[in-house]
PDB file of all heavy atoms in Angstrom:
ATOM      1  N   GLN A 262      90.924  94.490 139.744  1.00  0.00           N
ATOM      2  CA  GLN A 262      92.352  94.255 139.908  1.00  0.00           C
ATOM      3  C   GLN A 262      92.625  93.062 140.817  1.00  0.00           C
ATOM      4  O   GLN A 262      93.664  92.412 140.713  1.00  0.00           O
ATOM      5  CB  GLN A 262      93.026  95.509 140.466  1.00  0.00           C
ATOM      6  CG  GLN A 262      93.085  96.670 139.476  1.00  0.00           C
ATOM      7  CD  GLN A 262      93.710  97.914 140.070  1.00  0.00           C
ATOM      8  OE1 GLN A 262      93.764  98.089 141.292  1.00  0.00           O
ATOM      9  NE2 GLN A 262      94.187  98.799 139.205  1.00  0.00           N
ATOM     10  N   GLY A 263      91.683  92.768 141.724  1.00  0.00           N
ATOM     11  CA  GLY A 263      91.876  91.668 142.658  1.00  0.00           C
ATOM     12  C   GLY A 263      91.528  90.304 142.103  1.00  0.00           C
ATOM     13  O   GLY A 263      91.978  89.284 142.634  1.00  0.00           O
ATOM     14  N   LEU A 264      90.707  90.253 141.037  1.00  0.00           N
ATOM     15  CA  LEU A 264      90.288  88.954 140.499  1.00  0.00           C
ATOM     16  C   LEU A 264      91.504  88.094 140.137  1.00  0.00           C
ATOM     17  O   LEU A 264      92.501  88.632 139.650  1.00  0.00           O
ATOM     18  CB  LEU A 264      89.411  89.152 139.259  1.00  0.00           C
ATOM     19  CG  LEU A 264      87.997  89.679 139.519  1.00  0.00           C
ATOM     20  CD1 LEU A 264      87.252  89.892 138.202  1.00  0.00           C
ATOM     21  CD2 LEU A 264      87.196  88.735 140.412  1.00  0.00           C
ATOM     22  N   PRO A 265      91.433  86.799 140.402  1.00  0.00           N
ATOM     23  CA  PRO A 265      90.259  86.016 140.799  1.00  0.00           C
ATOM     24  C   PRO A 265      89.861  86.095 142.269  1.00  0.00           C
ATOM     25  O   PRO A 265      88.842  85.547 142.657  1.00  0.00           O
ATOM     26  CB  PRO A 265      90.673  84.598 140.435  1.00  0.00           C
ATOM     27  CG  PRO A 265      92.159  84.593 140.602  1.00  0.00           C
ATOM     28  CD  PRO A 265      92.608  85.944 140.145  1.00  0.00           C
ATOM     29  N   VAL A 266      90.656  86.762 143.084  1.00  0.00           N
ATOM     30  CA  VAL A 266      90.282  86.910 144.494  1.00  0.00           C
ATOM     31  C   VAL A 266      89.490  88.196 144.658  1.00  0.00           C
ATOM     32  O   VAL A 266      89.929  89.268 144.233  1.00  0.00           O
ATOM     33  CB  VAL A 266      91.542  86.946 145.399  1.00  0.00           C
ATOM     34  CG1 VAL A 266      91.139  87.161 146.850  1.00  0.00           C
ATOM     35  CG2 VAL A 266      92.339  85.662 145.230  1.00  0.00           C
ATOM     36  N   VAL A 267      88.310  88.099 145.286  1.00  0.00           N
ATOM     37  CA  VAL A 267      87.467  89.273 145.505  1.00  0.00           C
ATOM     38  C   VAL A 267      87.704  89.801 146.911  1.00  0.00           C
ATOM     39  O   VAL A 267      87.527  89.059 147.891  1.00  0.00           O
ATOM     40  CB  VAL A 267      85.977  88.927 145.322  1.00  0.00           C
ATOM     41  CG1 VAL A 267      85.109  90.141 145.641  1.00  0.00           C
ATOM     42  CG2 VAL A 267      85.710  88.440 143.913  1.00  0.00           C
ATOM     43  N   PRO A 268      88.118  91.058 147.050  1.00  0.00           N
ATOM     44  CA  PRO A 268      88.306  91.616 148.398  1.00  0.00           C
ATOM     45  C   PRO A 268      87.000  91.549 149.187  1.00  0.00           C
ATOM     46  O   PRO A 268      85.924  91.787 148.634  1.00  0.00           O
ATOM     47  CB  PRO A 268      88.705  93.079 148.126  1.00  0.00           C
ATOM     48  CG  PRO A 268      89.202  93.075 146.712  1.00  0.00           C
ATOM     49  CD  PRO A 268      88.417  92.033 145.992  1.00  0.00           C
ATOM     50  N   SER A 269      87.093  91.211 150.456  1.00  0.00           N
ATOM     51  CA  SER A 269      85.890  91.139 151.285  1.00  0.00           C
ATOM     52  C   SER A 269      85.332  92.541 151.503  1.00  0.00           C
ATOM     53  O   SER A 269      86.033  93.552 151.335  1.00  0.00           O
ATOM     54  CB  SER A 269      86.204  90.500 152.640  1.00  0.00           C
ATOM     55  OG  SER A 269      87.025  91.382 153.408  1.00  0.00           O
ATOM     56  N   PHE A 270      84.075  92.601 151.883  1.00  0.00           N
ATOM     57  CA  PHE A 270      83.454  93.903 152.134  1.00  0.00           C
ATOM     58  C   PHE A 270      84.153  94.610 153.292  1.00  0.00           C
ATOM     59  O   PHE A 270      84.369  95.826 153.254  1.00  0.00           O
ATOM     60  CB  PHE A 270      81.967  93.720 152.443  1.00  0.00           C
ATOM     61  CG  PHE A 270      81.206  95.018 152.511  1.00  0.00           C
ATOM     62  CD1 PHE A 270      80.978  95.765 151.365  1.00  0.00           C
ATOM     63  CD2 PHE A 270      80.737  95.502 153.725  1.00  0.00           C
ATOM     64  CE1 PHE A 270      80.291  96.965 151.416  1.00  0.00           C
ATOM     65  CE2 PHE A 270      80.045  96.707 153.785  1.00  0.00           C
ATOM     66  CZ  PHE A 270      79.822  97.435 152.634  1.00  0.00           C
ATOM     67  N   GLY A 271      84.524  93.830 154.309  1.00  0.00           N
ATOM     68  CA  GLY A 271      85.240  94.426 155.435  1.00  0.00           C
ATOM     69  C   GLY A 271      86.566  95.027 155.014  1.00  0.00           C
ATOM     70  O   GLY A 271      86.959  96.097 155.483  1.00  0.00           O
ATOM     71  N   GLU A 272      87.259  94.343 154.106  1.00  0.00           N
ATOM     72  CA  GLU A 272      88.535  94.862 153.605  1.00  0.00           C
ATOM     73  C   GLU A 272      88.325  96.158 152.826  1.00  0.00           C
ATOM     74  O   GLU A 272      89.107  97.109 152.953  1.00  0.00           O
ATOM     75  CB  GLU A 272      89.185  93.812 152.709  1.00  0.00           C
ATOM     76  CG  GLU A 272      90.582  94.195 152.236  1.00  0.00           C
ATOM     77  CD  GLU A 272      91.235  93.099 151.418  1.00  0.00           C
ATOM     78  OE1 GLU A 272      90.710  91.962 151.429  1.00  0.00           O
ATOM     79  OE2 GLU A 272      92.258  93.384 150.766  1.00  0.00           O
ATOM     80  N   GLN A 273      87.255  96.223 152.024  1.00  0.00           N
ATOM     81  CA  GLN A 273      86.968  97.449 151.278  1.00  0.00           C
ATOM     82  C   GLN A 273      86.668  98.600 152.241  1.00  0.00           C
ATOM     83  O   GLN A 273      87.107  99.743 152.022  1.00  0.00           O
ATOM     84  CB  GLN A 273      85.770  97.234 150.336  1.00  0.00           C
ATOM     85  CG  GLN A 273      86.012  96.235 149.225  1.00  0.00           C
ATOM     86  CD  GLN A 273      86.894  96.774 148.112  1.00  0.00           C
ATOM     87  OE1 GLN A 273      87.637  97.744 148.302  1.00  0.00           O
ATOM     88  NE2 GLN A 273      86.836  96.152 146.953  1.00  0.00           N
ATOM     89  N   ALA A 274      85.943  98.321 153.308  1.00  0.00           N
ATOM     90  CA  ALA A 274      85.642  99.367 154.287  1.00  0.00           C
ATOM     91  C   ALA A 274      86.925  99.896 154.921  1.00  0.00           C
ATOM     92  O   ALA A 274      87.095 101.106 155.105  1.00  0.00           O
ATOM     93  CB  ALA A 274      84.687  98.834 155.354  1.00  0.00           C
ATOM     94  N   ARG A 275      87.844  98.996 155.244  1.00  0.00           N
ATOM     95  CA  ARG A 275      89.110  99.425 155.848  1.00  0.00           C
ATOM     96  C   ARG A 275      89.912 100.272 154.866  1.00  0.00           C
ATOM     97  O   ARG A 275      90.531 101.269 155.252  1.00  0.00           O
ATOM     98  CB  ARG A 275      89.917  98.196 156.283  1.00  0.00           C
ATOM     99  CG  ARG A 275      89.370  97.502 157.527  1.00  0.00           C
ATOM    100  CD  ARG A 275      90.356  96.480 158.076  1.00  0.00           C
ATOM    101  NE  ARG A 275      90.550  95.358 157.156  1.00  0.00           N
ATOM    102  CZ  ARG A 275      89.768  94.288 157.095  1.00  0.00           C
ATOM    103  NH1 ARG A 275      88.717  94.189 157.917  1.00  0.00           N
ATOM    104  NH2 ARG A 275      90.020  93.308 156.250  1.00  0.00           N
ATOM    105  N   ARG A 276      89.897  99.905 153.586  1.00  0.00           N
ATOM    106  CA  ARG A 276      90.620 100.679 152.577  1.00  0.00           C
ATOM    107  C   ARG A 276      90.067 102.103 152.472  1.00  0.00           C
ATOM    108  O   ARG A 276      90.797 103.036 152.132  1.00  0.00           O
ATOM    109  CB  ARG A 276      90.514  99.997 151.208  1.00  0.00           C
ATOM    110  CG  ARG A 276      91.293  98.704 151.094  1.00  0.00           C
ATOM    111  CD  ARG A 276      91.115  98.090 149.707  1.00  0.00           C
ATOM    112  NE  ARG A 276      91.804  96.811 149.580  1.00  0.00           N
ATOM    113  CZ  ARG A 276      91.777  96.052 148.481  1.00  0.00           C
ATOM    114  NH1 ARG A 276      91.117  96.465 147.417  1.00  0.00           N
ATOM    115  NH2 ARG A 276      92.420  94.911 148.456  1.00  0.00           N
ATOM    116  N   HIS A 277      88.756 102.253 152.720  1.00  0.00           N
ATOM    117  CA  HIS A 277      88.129 103.571 152.640  1.00  0.00           C
ATOM    118  C   HIS A 277      88.093 104.268 154.007  1.00  0.00           C
ATOM    119  O   HIS A 277      87.481 105.324 154.146  1.00  0.00           O
ATOM    120  CB  HIS A 277      86.699 103.442 152.099  1.00  0.00           C
ATOM    121  CG  HIS A 277      86.638 103.220 150.620  1.00  0.00           C
ATOM    122  ND1 HIS A 277      86.890 101.991 150.042  1.00  0.00           N
ATOM    123  CD2 HIS A 277      86.382 104.077 149.592  1.00  0.00           C
ATOM    124  CE1 HIS A 277      86.775 102.094 148.726  1.00  0.00           C
ATOM    125  NE2 HIS A 277      86.473 103.336 148.429  1.00  0.00           N
ATOM    126  N   ALA A 278      88.760 103.651 154.982  1.00  0.00           N
ATOM    127  CA  ALA A 278      88.831 104.232 156.332  1.00  0.00           C
ATOM    128  C   ALA A 278      87.434 104.561 156.858  1.00  0.00           C
ATOM    129  O   ALA A 278      87.183 105.650 157.385  1.00  0.00           O
ATOM    130  CB  ALA A 278      89.715 105.476 156.338  1.00  0.00           C
ATOM    131  N   THR A 279      86.532 103.603 156.707  1.00  0.00           N
ATOM    132  CA  THR A 279      85.167 103.814 157.165  1.00  0.00           C
ATOM    133  C   THR A 279      84.629 102.507 157.727  1.00  0.00           C
ATOM    134  O   THR A 279      85.258 101.446 157.605  1.00  0.00           O
ATOM    135  CB  THR A 279      84.272 104.303 156.001  1.00  0.00           C
ATOM    136  OG1 THR A 279      83.003 104.673 156.515  1.00  0.00           O
ATOM    137  CG2 THR A 279      84.093 103.227 154.940  1.00  0.00           C
ATOM    138  N   SER A 280      83.464 102.563 158.342  1.00  0.00           N
ATOM    139  CA  SER A 280      82.853 101.351 158.877  1.00  0.00           C
ATOM    140  C   SER A 280      82.079 100.623 157.787  1.00  0.00           C
ATOM    141  O   SER A 280      81.704 101.218 156.764  1.00  0.00           O
ATOM    142  CB  SER A 280      81.901 101.698 160.022  1.00  0.00           C
ATOM    143  OG  SER A 280      80.773 102.414 159.531  1.00  0.00           O
ATOM    144  N   GLU A 281      81.836  99.339 158.001  1.00  0.00           N
ATOM    145  CA  GLU A 281      81.049  98.576 157.026  1.00  0.00           C
ATOM    146  C   GLU A 281      79.645  99.155 156.908  1.00  0.00           C
ATOM    147  O   GLU A 281      79.088  99.226 155.809  1.00  0.00           O
ATOM    148  CB  GLU A 281      80.987  97.104 157.432  1.00  0.00           C
ATOM    149  CG  GLU A 281      82.325  96.383 157.319  1.00  0.00           C
ATOM    150  CD  GLU A 281      82.200  94.897 157.593  1.00  0.00           C
ATOM    151  OE1 GLU A 281      81.132  94.329 157.281  1.00  0.00           O
ATOM    152  OE2 GLU A 281      83.160  94.309 158.130  1.00  0.00           O
ATOM    153  N   ARG A 282      79.080  99.591 158.028  1.00  0.00           N
ATOM    154  CA  ARG A 282      77.730 100.157 157.998  1.00  0.00           C
ATOM    155  C   ARG A 282      77.688 101.413 157.121  1.00  0.00           C
ATOM    156  O   ARG A 282      76.780 101.592 156.308  1.00  0.00           O
ATOM    157  CB  ARG A 282      77.264 100.491 159.413  1.00  0.00           C
ATOM    158  CG  ARG A 282      75.914 101.207 159.437  1.00  0.00           C
ATOM    159  CD  ARG A 282      75.502 101.578 160.843  1.00  0.00           C
ATOM    160  NE  ARG A 282      75.183 100.400 161.641  1.00  0.00           N
ATOM    161  CZ  ARG A 282      74.751 100.451 162.897  1.00  0.00           C
ATOM    162  NH1 ARG A 282      74.610 101.623 163.496  1.00  0.00           N
ATOM    163  NH2 ARG A 282      74.468  99.336 163.558  1.00  0.00           N
ATOM    164  N   THR A 283      78.688 102.291 157.280  1.00  0.00           N
ATOM    165  CA  THR A 283      78.710 103.531 156.494  1.00  0.00           C
ATOM    166  C   THR A 283      78.902 103.237 155.015  1.00  0.00           C
ATOM    167  O   THR A 283      78.235 103.832 154.150  1.00  0.00           O
ATOM    168  CB  THR A 283      79.837 104.451 156.981  1.00  0.00           C
ATOM    169  OG1 THR A 283      79.592 104.800 158.346  1.00  0.00           O
ATOM    170  CG2 THR A 283      79.910 105.724 156.148  1.00  0.00           C
TER     171      THR A 283
END
Side-chain angles (χ1 to χ4, degrees):
Q262 290 178 339
L264 287 177
V266 178
V267 176
S269 69
F270 189 70
E272 185 177 347
Q273 295 285 20
R275 286 192 294 275
R276 290 179 183 178
H277 283 78
T279 188
S280 68
E281 291 186 32
R282 175 182 291 182
T283 298

